[in-house]
Amino acid sequence: MRVLNSLSEINILRILRLIWLEKKISRVDIATRLGMDKSTVTKIAADLCALGIIREAESGESGPQGGRKPVFLELNNEFAVVGGIEINPRKFFCSVVNLSGENIFEYSEDIAPEEYKKLGLMGYFKKAFDIIKKHSQSLKLSLLGIGVGLPALIDVEQGKIIQSIPLMIYEPVDFIKLAREFTKLPVFFDNDARCCCYTEKMLWKNPNIEKSMMYILVQHRPQQPVENSPKNISVGFGFVLNGKIYHGANSTAGEFRSMLWEPSSKNQFVASAISVENLADASVTPIFRELAQNVAFLVNTLNLDVVYVGGIEEQYTEELVKYIREKIVYLWPYEWKKPSTVTSATLSERVVSSGAGILVLDNIFSIPQLGDSNGGTSKFYNDYTSYQWLSLFQH
């Protein structure tokens, strides 16, 4: 295997990330965007094409003065895949995601309380991983890594679950260590709502424009994987601020409890009943209105550009979107209209597992920076640096 010097590695990763974000781009545009010499881009592109990680796509349009049509480059989705997993008290979801961030396989299964009692979180993780591994092998594609989205307080830097009431985890769990020992692959994880942000951020039409975004993950599920656990509405927030996923101190940003909450409240809302068995129930409307009020406060205060709502059926998502729009207008103090977009999410149920897969891709195509070997991500990821990803590509 050819040994690359560090400058070459950084240039390779800059080019790979740009191709990943843009989907299709010409060599000339890469050189212009990255301020690199065209001959350098051409040489690196040839090496990456030889490795099989990128390929030439169709030609673009000629410029105003005519001449040769530019040939676009794109990632080769037949090179490898990554896996994404969501585990919550109701179901586990698996996604196999290609290098462009598209789901090419999906699977979900209800979680039986008695089985969860026996298997626990790690048992269900192993079950989901085996499904992903089997499918990637059937496609004859290398599996580069696994991402996991969980309803939990997560210490991303240490790779530990601090606590998860929904998954009945009350003491810290060294999740990443256990997961990597089993899979023998790179494993990354994050809170479920932040994984949703990775999905929407990847799908933005122009990901290079800095945006501030909020994702509202609303799920109707049992409170815990135990028999007769009451169903309720569970809410978590994910934020992208100035184009970057926001974790906050100790990676706890996005945990939600209504500003109207009182000690007598049954769960996250003042308006909530002990149980919400059906989203069509009239008791859900006060919960949605209370949630909308909390969201509108954050949207106006933080001057957010986009709000996505996902996790529940489309008809109920549309109802919640309507309430949020109304509250944003109602709570905005100026005559000038605030240009915030509130919309339903691009994906529905599989959004967390898909986002967990994109989390892996975001680390694969990261760019090293001075003083940080992994493009600004946490110290926890440094044992799988971008340089090691390159060696994976070259095998």
Side-chain angles (χ1 to χ4, degrees):
M1 181 178 72
R2 181 169 59 89
V3 177
L4 301 172
N5 63 51
S6 60
L7 180 58
S8 294
E9 290 171 338
I10 291 171
N11 284 337
I12 289 169
L13 291 165
R14 291 175 71 205
I15 290 171
L16 278 174
R17 186 167 183 86
L18 186 58
I19 295 171
W20 178 58
L21 291 173
E22 292 296 327
K23 305 293 193 295
K24 293 179 182 179
I25 187 169
S26 71
R27 294 169 177 81
V28 172
D29 286 342
I30 291 173
T32 301
R33 290 275 294 275
L34 299 181
M36 294 170 62
D37 188 82
K38 186 174 178 294
S39 63
T40 301
V41 173
T42 300
K43 175 67 171 62
I44 290 174
D47 289 345
L48 293 174
C49 283
L51 288 171
I53 189 171
I54 68 170
R55 62 190 174 191
E56 291 187 344
E58 76 275 6
S59 298
E61 296 297 323
S62 298
Q65 317 241 333
R68 290 182 58 186
K69 293 181 178 181
V71 177
F72 291 131
L73 299 173
E74 64 180 4
L75 291 172
N76 179 9
N77 287 324
E78 296 172 6
F79 179 80
V81 292
V82 298
I85 296 170
E86 176 192 4
I87 302 171
N88 69 46
R90 180 173 66 100
K91 281 187 175 185
F92 74 86
F93 297 84
C94 303
S95 294
V96 175
V97 180
N98 65 25
L99 295 184
S100 296
E102 301 162 339
N103 273 17
I104 58 174
F105 171 77
E106 299 163 13
Y107 177 85
S108 66
E109 185 178 310
D110 290 342
I111 287 181
E114 283 305 310
E115 189 175 10
Y116 189 85
K117 190 175 180 181
K118 289 188 295 184
L119 297 179
L121 173 64
M122 291 309 303
Y124 269 96
F125 168 77
K126 292 174 182 179
K127 190 174 183 178
F129 171 73
D130 285 339
I131 292 168
I132 290 171
K133 183 179 179 181
K134 183 178 179 180
H135 186 75
S136 62
Q137 288 174 339
S138 73
L139 297 173
K140 298 182 179 178
L141 293 175
S142 298
L143 183 61
L144 292 182
I146 298 290
V148 186
L150 301 171
L153 279 178
I154 288 172
D155 186 333
V156 175
E157 290 199 355
Q158 299 300 318
K160 294 181 179 180
I161 299 171
I162 301 169
Q163 189 177 12
S164 174
I165 295 172
L167 296 175
M168 303 172 67
I169 297 171
Y170 304 106
E171 299 292 334
V173 175
D174 202 341
F175 178 80
I176 293 298
K177 180 181 178 183
L178 294 171
R180 289 178 176 174
E181 285 174 353
F182 175 76
T183 63
K184 310 303 180 187
L185 285 173
V187 179
F188 305 94
F189 75 157
D190 212 330
N191 173 271
D192 51 3
R194 282 196 292 271
C195 284
C196 298
C197 288
Y198 280 97
T199 302
E200 295 296 345
K201 189 171 183 287
M202 174 71 186
L203 295 171
W204 282 344
K205 289 183 179 178
N206 188 347
N208 296 298
I209 297 174
E210 290 189 343
K211 288 188 177 182
S212 294
M213 178 191 97
M214 180 180 189
Y215 193 103
I216 307 164
L217 178 62
V218 185
Q219 294 182 321
H220 181 230
R221 54 174 170 75
Q223 292 180 4
Q224 293 184 315
V226 296
E227 291 290 348
N228 303 316
S229 179
K231 279 188 177 180
N232 220 308
I233 293 173
S234 174
V235 176
F237 296 157
F239 295 95
V240 175
L241 301 179
N242 295 326
K244 295 182 180 179
I245 304 287
Y246 181 70
H247 285 79
N250 303 316
S251 297
T252 57
E255 292 300 313
F256 170 73
R257 177 181 277 176
S258 172
M259 66 177 79
L260 304 176
W261 187 90
E262 296 173 353
S264 59
S265 302
K266 301 299 181 183
N267 30 59
Q268 289 176 293
F269 301 93
V270 165
S272 65
I274 294 174
S275 179
V276 177
E277 291 302 320
N278 191 330
L279 285 178
D281 253 334
S283 61
V284 176
T285 299
I287 296 174
F288 279 4
R289 290 188 180 276
E290 185 178 338
L291 176 57
Q293 187 171 350
N294 281 268
V295 171
F297 168 77
L298 289 169
V299 171
N300 288 343
T301 302
L302 296 175
N303 190 31
L304 301 177
D305 301 308
V306 187
V307 178
Y308 291 101
V309 181
I312 52 174
E313 293 92 333
E314 183 64 27
Q315 66 188 96
Y316 304 113
T317 299
E318 290 176 357
E319 183 181 357
L320 181 53
V321 164
K322 181 186 75 171
Y323 293 145
I324 294 171
R325 287 172 179 164
E326 291 172 353
K327 284 295 184 182
I328 288 173
V329 173
Y330 179 74
L331 294 175
W332 183 247
Y334 296 100
E335 291 183 9
W336 169 72
K337 292 183 180 179
K338 182 172 172 13
S340 293
T341 299
V342 184
T343 185
S344 57
T346 308
L347 302 178
S348 54
E349 274 198 324
R350 67 185 188 276
V351 62
V352 176
S353 59
S354 176
I358 294 171
L359 165 65
V360 180
L361 294 173
D362 194 52
N363 279 274
I364 288 175
F365 300 119
S366 62
I367 303 170
Q369 297 174 2
L370 289 174
D372 185 347
S373 64
N374 201 38
T377 56
S378 69
K379 293 177 184 177
F380 150 61
Y381 289 130
N382 284 350
D383 53 346
Y384 282 105
T385 66
S386 299
Y387 306 129
Q388 288 171 293
W389 289 119
L390 283 172
S391 67
L392 280 177
F393 295 152
Q394 292 180 325
H395 277 91

